[in-house]
Amino acid sequence: MQPYRLPLTLFLVCVAAFALWMCMPEAEEPAVSELPVDAWSVRWIGESEPRASSPPSQEGEWQDATVSRPLTTIPQGAVGAWIRIPIPPTAAYDHPGLYIERLYGLDYTVYEDGKPVFRASRNYDFERNIVLVPLRASSTANELYLRIESKERAGIGSVVRVGAYDALNAANVRKELSNPLLGAAIAFLGFVMLSVTGFSQWQHRRMTAALSLFILSTGALIGSYSSLPFFYYPNFGRELLFLFDTSMLVLFPSFTYFVVHIYEDTHAFFRKAARWLIGYSMFCFAMLILQQAIGDPFYVFYKLFTFWILLPLIVLQMLLAIFLAVRYALRKNRDFLLLSAGIVGFALSAVADLVLLSVLHRPYILTLWKIGIVLLIVCLVMILIRRVVADYAKLLDYSRELELHSRQLQKTERMRIVSDLAASVAHEIRNPLQVTRGFLQMLIRSSTEENKPHYMMAISELDRASDIISDFLTFAKPEQDTIVPMDVKQLLCNIETIIGPLVMLHGGALRVRADEGLVVLGNVSKFKQAIINMMKNSIESFREEGSIEVEAYAEESTVVIRIADNGQGMDTEQIAKLGEPYFSTKTKGTGLGLMVTFRIVEVMKGTLEFRSRKGEGTEAILRFPLSAQD
């Protein structure tokens, strides 16, 4: 889906262009509103009829025409048409003018009061014109004549408007400017995308290039299809028409290639069809070059290959795109569903436009395909937003994993240092301590009653140091010498018998509940040491009426042992530091007991989790693999 990242810029540029168009200052309202003329008369010009310098007489075969029945198709044997337009009084305007949004013809002359006042002629085959001419102010109704010569169409395809010339000019610019602006913005983005295609991954490069050409040709087609550039830059008409034809020959093949290759497992037949259509478009481009070079004698062949044959091929391409989009939308992938919706919307709108262009017997402006383009862009932007959100979520997950991994590395490094320290000095320190304790016991027998408390205190401190050394030894070598199946309920009952008096001595209550048949693998003494360490921590956190609840039960394939107390509790920062050497919430604690507990649980392939709140107690949850042995 990599090619969809740039269409967000496309959408923003389009919105900016539309906002610029909408923010253009409104033209001042004229003192008198415009006067629409929606009916006129048409008289066809025969091939043998001499060119007249003045409008024909009222006699002749004049036909009534209206906006709904414009009569623009030149009949056989005719080369053009005379148009007679009734003009209402224009004295109310300081500078009156006449505006025709769509007039079809290659050469037309405007006659006022029987005299030619304006003429435009084209040497290229773009028959749609904008007519904006000044009129003479008159207090009476009048008639205006237009003489039009063309190849296929000659006549008026929109309402004729009479009003103030400046207001008509401003309305013309405001109405027509949006298409060139939008087309230029899209074309510019397509050019930028095509320029950076080489930076994409090689497996997506062709598909990205096809999407870029599709966007570039879409912008060029929108801009060159408007009549405004032909009106203000008539000298560049041939170049604009060439740009229009070229864009048409690039747009649909690139769209088809993109659609066929975006679905990676598309059948080889469709890929061959896409390549064949690209080849035919290149052939049509060669016909376009020949038409530009030869001119009218080659027009029949040019029209045959680039319209009558190309038009049904374009329809087939769009139907192929619809088929593939609907087929792959069933994958139940939301991105594919959005993409398919945009493709189907554009293809259906393009087909509808082309069908209407072919079957309607009146002038038709292609507009539905622009709606399809907007729908496709919106779908691409939605896919892009979903991808950005997903990438952001992945980045957050990666950051969390990286932070957790960093903490684990730091913890492992600290554990390794403490383990090495314990292994190297524990035995060397323990022996002198035992010797010192023995001599103190001998001295206490011959000491006075006054000195005995001092000796007892020294012996107590030596015993505490010996306990610390024992913890060091356990931490340095946590491996279980003997691994046997252990009945959790039986072991907890034994621990209850051992630790129960200590709980009562501190004024607390101990309750133990365990299900039958809970068996784990491990070392009995190490297991008891881990449980007792945590229960002693609970006892030392007692306040008034302390209680400890021990519960054991099976949860899927694990044995869960829950130890909860109502002691002082801990905050989040303290919980995060549990198991670190030399961290303890007790005044004289070293943190080595809980560190040893963590190591024992780790060796038994279990996990230990703490939950606590300050002043509400602490809950320790141990999980061990459930053994299948009885």
XYZ file of all heavy atoms in Angstrom, residues 391-465:
615
model
N 0.813 2.617 11.762
C 2.261 2.782 11.937
C 2.582 3.444 13.273
O 3.559 3.091 13.943
C 2.838 3.608 10.789
C 2.827 2.846 9.470
O 2.632 1.620 9.504
O 2.988 3.485 8.417
N 1.743 4.424 13.646
C 1.966 5.104 14.927
C 1.776 4.128 16.090
O 2.552 4.128 17.052
C 1.000 6.275 15.059
C 1.126 7.035 16.357
C 2.239 7.823 16.620
C 0.135 6.949 17.333
C 2.365 8.516 17.808
C 0.248 7.628 18.528
C 1.362 8.416 18.762
O 1.469 9.076 19.940
N 0.746 3.276 15.995
C 0.519 2.272 17.039
C 1.693 1.295 17.115
O 2.134 0.918 18.211
C -0.786 1.533 16.768
N 2.202 0.876 15.937
C 3.355 -0.019 15.932
C 4.575 0.660 16.552
O 5.356 0.026 17.262
C 3.672 -0.454 14.500
C 2.644 -1.416 13.904
C 3.031 -1.801 12.485
C 2.015 -2.753 11.865
N 2.369 -3.102 10.468
N 4.736 1.952 16.260
C 5.870 2.688 16.830
C 5.768 2.743 18.344
O 6.773 2.568 19.051
C 5.906 4.104 16.239
C 7.035 5.015 16.728
C 8.390 4.409 16.361
C 6.897 6.407 16.125
N 4.544 2.989 18.860
C 4.366 3.005 20.310
C 4.661 1.637 20.919
O 5.331 1.536 21.961
C 2.939 3.438 20.656
C 2.591 4.901 20.415
C 1.146 5.172 20.826
C 3.533 5.822 21.183
N 4.161 0.583 20.267
C 4.420 -0.768 20.776
C 5.916 -1.067 20.766
O 6.447 -1.659 21.720
C 3.678 -1.805 19.931
C 2.171 -1.727 20.110
O 1.730 -1.146 21.121
O 1.436 -2.217 19.226
N 6.579 -0.663 19.686
C 8.019 -0.892 19.610
C 8.758 -0.119 20.705
O 9.708 -0.637 21.315
C 8.539 -0.482 18.240
C 10.033 -0.589 18.088
C 10.652 -1.830 17.931
C 10.843 0.549 18.111
C 12.026 -1.941 17.808
C 12.215 0.457 17.982
C 12.806 -0.790 17.822
O 14.164 -0.892 17.703
N 8.309 1.122 20.970
C 8.948 1.919 22.016
C 8.763 1.258 23.378
O 9.701 1.205 24.189
C 8.356 3.333 22.028
O 8.572 3.981 20.802
N 7.533 0.745 23.618
C 7.295 0.068 24.902
C 8.160 -1.186 25.016
O 8.740 -1.454 26.076
C 5.816 -0.285 25.031
C 4.894 0.921 25.115
C 3.495 0.490 25.514
N 2.553 1.596 25.416
C 1.710 1.779 24.421
N 1.691 0.912 23.412
N 0.875 2.802 24.407
N 8.224 -1.968 23.937
C 9.041 -3.169 23.967
C 10.519 -2.834 24.169
O 11.226 -3.533 24.910
C 8.861 -3.951 22.662
C 7.478 -4.566 22.495
C 7.322 -5.275 21.168
O 8.315 -5.292 20.407
O 6.228 -5.803 20.892
N 10.961 -1.758 23.519
C 12.350 -1.351 23.666
C 12.639 -0.921 25.093
O 13.686 -1.260 25.669
C 12.659 -0.211 22.688
C 14.113 0.244 22.593
C 14.990 -0.905 22.102
C 14.245 1.438 21.663
N 11.703 -0.182 25.687
C 11.885 0.252 27.069
C 11.897 -0.947 28.013
O 12.724 -1.030 28.929
C 10.761 1.218 27.448
C 10.880 1.772 28.857
C 9.759 2.735 29.191
O 8.882 2.943 28.327
O 9.753 3.266 30.317
N 10.957 -1.901 27.790
C 10.917 -3.093 28.624
C 12.196 -3.912 28.467
O 12.757 -4.412 29.455
C 9.693 -3.936 28.250
C 9.502 -5.252 29.019
C 9.332 -4.974 30.502
C 8.302 -6.006 28.469
N 12.649 -4.037 27.226
C 13.886 -4.787 26.986
C 15.068 -4.113 27.665
O 15.937 -4.783 28.239
C 14.122 -4.893 25.486
C 15.329 -5.702 25.109
N 15.448 -7.052 25.371
C 16.491 -5.331 24.497
C 16.616 -7.489 24.945
N 17.262 -6.476 24.409
N 15.096 -2.787 27.625
C 16.187 -2.058 28.275
C 16.171 -2.278 29.780
O 17.215 -2.495 30.407
C 16.061 -0.561 27.955
O 17.052 0.184 28.620
N 14.959 -2.248 30.351
C 14.864 -2.504 31.792
C 15.303 -3.915 32.139
O 15.992 -4.148 33.146
C 13.428 -2.279 32.262
C 13.000 -0.811 32.265
C 11.568 -0.683 32.741
N 11.150 0.713 32.774
C 9.926 1.102 33.115
N 9.014 0.192 33.470
N 9.613 2.381 33.128
N 14.892 -4.880 31.311
C 15.291 -6.254 31.565
C 16.803 -6.429 31.472
O 17.406 -7.161 32.267
C 14.586 -7.194 30.588
C 13.088 -7.331 30.833
C 12.404 -8.185 29.787
O 12.962 -8.429 28.715
N 11.186 -8.624 30.079
N 17.413 -5.729 30.496
C 18.868 -5.807 30.375
C 19.554 -5.210 31.605
O 20.535 -5.775 32.125
C 19.330 -5.065 29.113
C 19.082 -5.768 27.777
C 19.541 -4.879 26.630
C 19.818 -7.106 27.726
N 19.032 -4.075 32.069
C 19.614 -3.455 33.258
C 19.452 -4.359 34.474
O 20.379 -4.524 35.276
C 18.943 -2.100 33.511
C 19.229 -1.055 32.447
C 18.460 0.229 32.694
O 17.766 0.378 33.705
N 18.578 1.182 31.763
N 18.243 -4.952 34.578
C 18.005 -5.843 35.711
C 18.906 -7.067 35.639
O 19.472 -7.507 36.645
C 16.539 -6.263 35.732
C 16.159 -7.126 36.917
C 14.677 -7.442 36.898
C 14.286 -8.313 38.083
N 12.837 -8.632 38.075
N 19.047 -7.627 34.444
C 19.912 -8.794 34.270
C 21.358 -8.465 34.614
O 22.065 -9.265 35.240
C 19.816 -9.302 32.823
O 18.456 -9.617 32.524
C 20.678 -10.529 32.613
N 21.789 -7.273 34.194
C 23.163 -6.863 34.491
C 23.372 -6.702 35.989
O 24.396 -7.142 36.541
C 23.473 -5.550 33.767
C 24.895 -5.050 33.948
C 25.926 -5.973 33.331
O 25.560 -6.792 32.465
O 27.106 -5.878 33.712
N 22.391 -6.096 36.659
C 22.514 -5.953 38.118
C 22.527 -7.323 38.789
O 23.303 -7.577 39.717
C 21.354 -5.114 38.653
C 21.450 -3.631 38.329
C 20.502 -2.820 39.190
N 19.109 -3.164 38.921
C 18.329 -2.514 38.075
N 18.827 -1.486 37.396
N 17.085 -2.879 37.890
N 21.624 -8.207 38.319
C 21.587 -9.550 38.895
C 22.905 -10.280 38.687
O 23.387 -11.003 39.565
C 20.438 -10.349 38.272
C 19.056 -9.786 38.561
S 18.668 -9.821 40.306
C 16.952 -9.260 40.261
N 23.476 -10.127 37.515
C 24.747 -10.810 37.239
C 25.845 -10.301 38.157
O 26.654 -11.085 38.683
C 25.143 -10.596 35.782
C 26.356 -11.397 35.344
C 26.795 -11.010 33.950
N 27.241 -9.624 33.882
C 28.463 -9.231 34.275
N 29.347 -10.101 34.749
N 28.785 -7.955 34.191
N 25.878 -8.977 38.367
C 26.910 -8.408 39.239
C 26.750 -8.918 40.664
O 27.714 -9.345 41.316
C 26.833 -6.865 39.193
C 27.213 -6.368 37.793
C 27.747 -6.253 40.235
C 27.012 -4.880 37.606
N 25.475 -8.893 41.150
C 25.236 -9.367 42.510
C 25.542 -10.860 42.628
O 26.095 -11.333 43.628
C 23.779 -9.065 42.918
C 23.472 -9.669 44.286
C 23.544 -7.579 42.946
N 25.173 -11.635 41.584
C 25.439 -13.072 41.616
C 26.929 -13.354 41.668
O 27.386 -14.201 42.454
C 24.816 -13.730 40.384
O 25.082 -15.109 40.369
N 27.702 -12.653 40.841
C 29.152 -12.846 40.864
C 29.729 -12.452 42.216
O 30.627 -13.134 42.750
C 29.801 -12.022 39.751
C 29.446 -12.536 38.371
O 28.965 -13.688 38.280
O 29.620 -11.786 37.378
N 29.210 -11.334 42.754
C 29.693 -10.881 44.057
C 29.369 -11.901 45.141
O 30.215 -12.224 45.989
C 29.060 -9.527 44.394
C 29.405 -8.932 45.764
C 30.902 -8.633 45.846
C 28.599 -7.660 46.015
N 28.127 -12.418 45.082
C 27.728 -13.402 46.096
C 28.566 -14.660 45.994
O 29.014 -15.225 47.015
C 26.246 -13.731 45.919
N 28.771 -15.153 44.777
C 29.533 -16.390 44.602
C 30.979 -16.242 45.056
O 31.599 -17.200 45.538
C 29.482 -16.819 43.139
N 31.548 -15.053 44.933
C 32.974 -14.865 45.220
C 33.265 -14.592 46.688
O 34.329 -14.962 47.189
C 33.529 -13.716 44.369
O 32.840 -12.509 44.678
N 32.323 -13.969 47.408
C 32.652 -13.557 48.776
C 31.816 -14.244 49.842
O 32.173 -14.196 51.026
C 32.494 -12.023 48.929
C 33.340 -11.289 47.923
C 31.027 -11.600 48.803
N 30.676 -14.867 49.451
C 29.779 -15.406 50.480
C 30.476 -16.435 51.359
O 30.416 -16.371 52.600
C 28.535 -16.009 49.826
N 31.122 -17.433 50.732
C 31.784 -18.479 51.517
C 32.927 -17.916 52.361
O 33.147 -18.369 53.499
C 32.305 -19.565 50.581
C 31.224 -20.416 49.998
N 30.495 -21.310 50.755
C 30.733 -20.494 48.738
C 29.599 -21.914 49.980
N 29.723 -21.435 48.744
N 33.668 -16.941 51.806
C 34.817 -16.387 52.535
C 34.371 -15.599 53.759
O 35.097 -15.530 54.752
C 35.635 -15.490 51.600
C 36.199 -16.195 50.386
C 37.144 -17.321 50.773
O 37.808 -17.212 51.825
O 37.206 -18.320 50.030
N 33.192 -15.016 53.716
C 32.719 -14.204 54.845
C 32.023 -15.069 55.887
O 32.117 -14.823 57.091
C 31.774 -13.091 54.347
C 32.539 -12.137 53.439
C 31.139 -12.336 55.493
C 31.668 -11.054 52.833
N 31.345 -16.109 55.453
C 30.533 -16.916 56.376
C 31.394 -17.609 57.431
O 31.026 -17.669 58.625
C 29.736 -17.941 55.571
C 28.598 -18.550 56.360
C 27.739 -19.399 55.465
N 26.491 -19.759 56.097
C 25.549 -20.482 55.524
N 25.737 -20.912 54.274
N 24.437 -20.787 56.172
N 32.532 -18.145 57.028
C 33.375 -18.858 57.997
C 33.873 -17.950 59.117
O 33.777 -18.309 60.307
C 34.552 -19.522 57.279
C 34.086 -20.682 56.401
O 33.051 -21.293 56.672
N 34.862 -20.998 55.359
N 34.449 -16.783 58.829
C 34.840 -15.893 59.944
C 33.671 -15.509 60.839
O 33.833 -15.351 62.055
C 35.422 -14.674 59.233
C 35.840 -15.171 57.899
C 34.866 -16.240 57.537
N 32.485 -15.349 60.249
C 31.333 -14.997 61.073
C 31.004 -16.103 62.063
O 30.671 -15.840 63.237
C 30.119 -14.722 60.182
C 30.130 -13.416 59.387
C 28.869 -13.335 58.517
C 30.195 -12.212 60.305
N 31.065 -17.380 61.604
C 30.770 -18.490 62.495
C 31.800 -18.579 63.622
O 31.465 -18.863 64.780
C 30.717 -19.799 61.686
C 29.583 -19.879 60.700
C 28.227 -19.797 61.389
O 28.038 -20.288 62.504
N 27.281 -19.139 60.723
N 33.076 -18.361 63.287
C 34.120 -18.391 64.313
C 33.885 -17.281 65.328
O 33.968 -17.486 66.557
C 35.512 -18.250 63.670
C 36.595 -18.107 64.753
C 35.807 -19.470 62.802
N 33.604 -16.101 64.873
C 33.354 -14.964 65.759
C 32.162 -15.237 66.658
O 32.182 -14.939 67.858
C 33.102 -13.691 64.928
O 34.215 -13.476 64.070
C 32.917 -12.495 65.822
N 31.082 -15.824 66.098
C 29.898 -16.130 66.894
C 30.230 -17.140 67.992
O 29.758 -17.051 69.148
C 28.786 -16.674 65.996
C 27.450 -16.796 66.700
C 26.412 -17.365 65.745
N 25.061 -17.249 66.293
C 24.555 -18.062 67.234
N 25.293 -19.053 67.734
N 23.315 -17.868 67.678
N 31.064 -18.123 67.665
C 31.443 -19.131 68.669
C 32.192 -18.516 69.838
O 31.931 -18.832 71.007
N 33.150 -17.617 69.530
C 33.911 -16.974 70.602
C 33.003 -16.080 71.442
O 33.168 -15.984 72.661
C 35.073 -16.167 70.013
C 36.271 -17.019 69.702
C 36.620 -17.282 68.394
C 37.058 -17.562 70.730
C 37.722 -18.057 68.100
C 38.155 -18.345 70.425
C 38.502 -18.597 69.097
N 32.037 -15.424 70.819
C 31.122 -14.587 71.595
C 30.272 -15.427 72.530
O 29.971 -15.015 73.664
C 30.217 -13.785 70.648
C 30.887 -12.642 69.902
C 29.898 -12.024 68.904
C 31.382 -11.563 70.865
N 29.850 -16.613 72.096
C 29.089 -17.500 72.968
C 29.921 -17.956 74.166
O 29.405 -18.125 75.288
C 28.585 -18.703 72.177
C 27.450 -18.368 71.215
C 27.021 -19.569 70.403
O 27.854 -20.458 70.119
N 25.761 -19.597 70.020
N 31.222 -18.175 73.920
C 32.092 -18.556 75.037
C 32.275 -17.389 76.003
O 32.267 -17.566 77.226
C 33.462 -18.997 74.505
C 33.417 -20.313 73.714
S 35.022 -20.731 73.016
C 36.024 -20.830 74.495
N 32.451 -16.201 75.494
C 32.681 -15.032 76.335
C 31.448 -14.674 77.148
O 31.563 -14.151 78.269
C 33.100 -13.835 75.472
C 34.483 -13.932 74.841
C 34.697 -12.761 73.876
C 35.584 -13.939 75.907
N 30.245 -14.965 76.591
C 29.038 -14.565 77.302
C 28.851 -15.353 78.597
O 28.208 -14.895 79.538
C 27.807 -14.718 76.389
C 26.640 -13.913 76.952
C 27.410 -16.171 76.223
C 25.440 -13.885 76.020
N 29.431 -16.564 78.646
C 29.285 -17.371 79.843
C 30.045 -16.769 81.029
O 29.632 -16.901 82.194
C 29.796 -18.793 79.581
C 28.979 -19.541 78.536
C 29.608 -20.883 78.238
N 28.881 -21.572 77.153
C 29.287 -22.720 76.636
N 30.411 -23.314 77.074
N 28.581 -23.277 75.649
N 31.198 -16.166 80.743
C 32.019 -15.614 81.820
C 31.838 -14.112 81.997
O 32.571 -13.491 82.763
C 33.489 -15.915 81.560
O 33.892 -15.346 80.315
N 30.884 -13.539 81.298
C 30.699 -12.089 81.386
C 29.753 -11.751 82.513
O 29.011 -12.603 83.023
C 30.137 -11.542 80.073
O 28.839 -12.063 79.873
N 29.775 -10.542 82.902
C 28.877 -10.036 83.942
C 27.490 -9.834 83.355
O 27.302 -9.786 82.142
C 29.407 -8.707 84.502
O 29.409 -7.752 83.431
C 30.815 -8.880 85.074
N 26.525 -9.710 84.273
C 25.155 -9.491 83.826
C 25.026 -8.180 83.072
O 24.178 -8.019 82.205
C 24.212 -9.491 85.040
C 24.076 -10.834 85.713
C 23.450 -11.848 84.782
O 22.600 -11.467 83.918
O 23.792 -13.047 84.875
N 25.886 -7.255 83.397
C 25.823 -5.943 82.743
C 26.266 -6.019 81.285
O 25.750 -5.304 80.414
C 26.696 -4.955 83.518
C 26.664 -3.553 82.944
C 27.555 -2.603 83.726
O 28.135 -3.002 84.754
O 27.654 -1.442 83.275
N 27.224 -6.918 80.969
C 27.758 -7.013 79.603
C 27.022 -8.022 78.734
O 27.185 -8.038 77.514
C 29.251 -7.389 79.644
C 30.095 -6.268 80.217
O 29.750 -5.100 80.059
N 31.173 -6.633 80.903
N 26.228 -8.918 79.347
C 25.537 -9.939 78.561
C 24.639 -9.355 77.465
O 24.626 -9.868 76.334
C 24.724 -10.835 79.494
C 25.555 -11.896 80.172
C 24.662 -12.828 80.999
C 25.530 -13.918 81.667
N 24.688 -14.849 82.447
N 23.863 -8.289 77.726
C 23.034 -7.732 76.621
C 23.859 -7.288 75.428
O 23.428 -7.408 74.280
C 22.313 -6.559 77.290
C 22.289 -6.899 78.743
C 23.572 -7.627 79.012
N 25.066 -6.801 75.692
C 25.893 -6.362 74.572
C 26.346 -7.549 73.717
O 26.346 -7.492 72.486
C 27.114 -5.585 75.080
C 26.743 -4.330 75.835
N 26.565 -4.330 77.210
C 26.510 -3.065 75.423
C 26.247 -3.113 77.625
N 26.209 -2.305 76.532
N 26.738 -8.643 74.445
C 27.141 -9.837 73.708
C 25.963 -10.416 72.908
O 26.107 -10.867 71.771
C 27.692 -10.879 74.679
C 29.085 -10.550 75.182
C 29.306 -10.335 76.550
C 30.172 -10.486 74.308
C 30.558 -10.036 77.031
C 31.425 -10.187 74.784
C 31.625 -9.961 76.134
O 32.857 -9.663 76.601
N 24.784 -10.406 73.512
C 23.602 -10.935 72.834
C 23.279 -10.112 71.583
O 22.887 -10.652 70.537
C 22.403 -10.948 73.792
C 22.543 -11.908 74.951
S 22.681 -13.624 74.410
C 21.091 -13.838 73.660
N 23.430 -8.794 71.693
C 23.171 -7.935 70.536
C 24.174 -8.221 69.421
O 23.825 -8.270 68.228
C 23.243 -6.457 70.936
C 22.921 -5.489 69.797
S 23.036 -3.779 70.322
C 21.782 -3.725 71.569
N 25.454 -8.431 69.790
C 26.469 -8.740 68.784
C 26.165 -10.058 68.107
O 26.292 -10.196 66.871
C 27.847 -8.763 69.437
N 25.765 -11.078 68.910
C 25.420 -12.374 68.318
C 24.217 -12.230 67.378
O 24.172 -12.834 66.293
C 25.141 -13.397 69.433
C 26.443 -13.727 70.185
C 24.540 -14.671 68.857
C 26.237 -14.604 71.413
N 23.218 -11.414 67.775
C 22.031 -11.217 66.926
C 22.402 -10.581 65.590
O 21.893 -10.978 64.523
C 21.015 -10.339 67.670
O 19.913 -10.041 66.842
N 23.292 -9.609 65.641
C 23.707 -8.944 64.402
C 24.514 -9.889 63.518
O 24.408 -9.847 62.277
C 24.518 -7.685 64.720
C 23.692 -6.558 65.333
C 22.570 -6.124 64.415
O 22.808 -5.949 63.190
O 21.426 -5.971 64.902
N 25.325 -10.766 64.172
C 26.059 -11.763 63.388
C 25.096 -12.738 62.723
O 25.314 -13.163 61.577
C 27.053 -12.517 64.282
C 28.303 -11.734 64.717
C 29.118 -12.567 65.701
C 29.158 -11.365 63.515
N 24.029 -13.105 63.447
C 23.025 -14.006 62.844
C 22.331 -13.329 61.661
O 22.052 -13.983 60.633
C 21.986 -14.403 63.898
C 22.559 -15.363 64.935
O 23.588 -16.006 64.629
O 21.974 -15.471 66.033
N 22.044 -12.033 61.812
C 21.415 -11.321 60.683
C 22.359 -11.261 59.497
O 21.949 -11.429 58.336
C 21.028 -9.909 61.112
C 20.061 -9.232 60.143
C 19.469 -7.993 60.756
N 20.371 -6.875 60.725
C 20.449 -6.013 59.689
N 19.682 -6.180 58.630
N 21.292 -5.013 59.721
N 23.645 -11.051 59.758
C 24.616 -11.044 58.671
C 24.715 -12.423 58.031
O 24.847 -12.559 56.801
C 25.985 -10.609 59.197
